[in-house]
Amino acid sequence: MLEIAPNGCLVHAATPTGTTVSVWGRAGEDSLRFLVQNPTWNSLQDGGKYDLQVGFDGKSQFPLEAVARQNLDQDGPGLTFAVSPAAEKEGVNFLDSFAAADGMHISQDGKRLETMALKDNRTAMGALAKCLSMVYQSMANAAAAQTPDGSAAGVVEVSADATPL
């Protein structure tokens, strides 16, 4: 599902095992944020840092530092991490791998925490990129429409097939 906020966009999906994966970005930020949640992850230490390895379809493992969050919402505790669109390991791009993958595997210290099927991932990431582009353009248009006294000359709306945040 794609959601739009005034300065960003979010895509998320739930797996049959109860894990929810959310990816969001804000116009002008350097990285996309990932949040992986599962109601059974109660042993996570809120604010704790976890060294993870994230891999796709049995290929390259990307080392990432995640921060645990306990009290988020009905999807349960989770791990959040940021990924730059340019993030690579041995010439393999993280976001390209994520968008093309049928599955994502998250491990810590060699132990698999979660394996998730990623259905229609390329479509979701394409929708996220298009949404962020529209939001960024809307913000640029709004800034250009400012009058010399700093007030807005008009209202710019972003339209897309999405649910508002």
Side-chain angles (χ1 to χ4, degrees):
M1 177 189 327
L2 173 69
E3 297 181 23
I4 300 173
N7 65 345
C9 305
L10 165 82
V11 291
H12 61 108
T15 69
T17 61
T19 299
T20 301
V21 179
S22 303
V23 183
W24 73 94
R26 292 188 177 118
E29 286 192 351
D30 294 346
S31 299
L32 292 177
R33 303 284 310 171
F34 285 71
L35 174 61
V36 183
Q37 295 174 262
N38 189 297
T40 64
W41 292 355
N42 293 319
S43 64
L44 293 175
Q45 297 296 317
D46 193 48
K49 295 186 186 211
Y50 293 80
D51 291 326
L52 303 179
Q53 297 78 42
V54 178
F56 305 100
D57 299 334
K59 298 178 184 168
S60 295
Q61 294 279 320
F62 293 86
L64 298 165
E65 183 178 81
V67 176
R69 295 289 179 232
Q70 268 295 329
N71 301 310
L72 293 166
D73 57 26
Q74 71 278 1
D75 294 325
L79 295 164
T80 184
F81 54 90
V83 177
S84 165
E88 290 190 358
K89 182 180 177 194
E90 299 170 0
V92 178
N93 181 275
F94 182 94
L95 292 178
D96 287 344
S97 296
F98 178 76
D102 291 326
M104 180 167 96
H105 316 284
I106 300 174
S107 303
Q108 181 189 24
D109 298 328
K111 180 183 174 194
R112 179 109 357 130
L113 296 176
E114 186 64 79
T115 297
M116 294 159 280
L118 300 173
K119 184 180 178 194
D120 298 325
N121 220 26
R122 186 167 294 282
T123 302
M125 291 305 288
L128 180 64
K130 182 178 179 181
C131 177
L132 286 171
S133 175
M134 289 185 330
V135 168
Y136 184 78
Q137 186 60 51
S138 175
M139 291 171 65
N141 290 346
Q146 293 287 317
T147 62
D149 68 357
S151 62
V155 176
V156 179
E157 292 186 22
V158 175
S159 64
D161 295 325
T163 305
L165 286 176

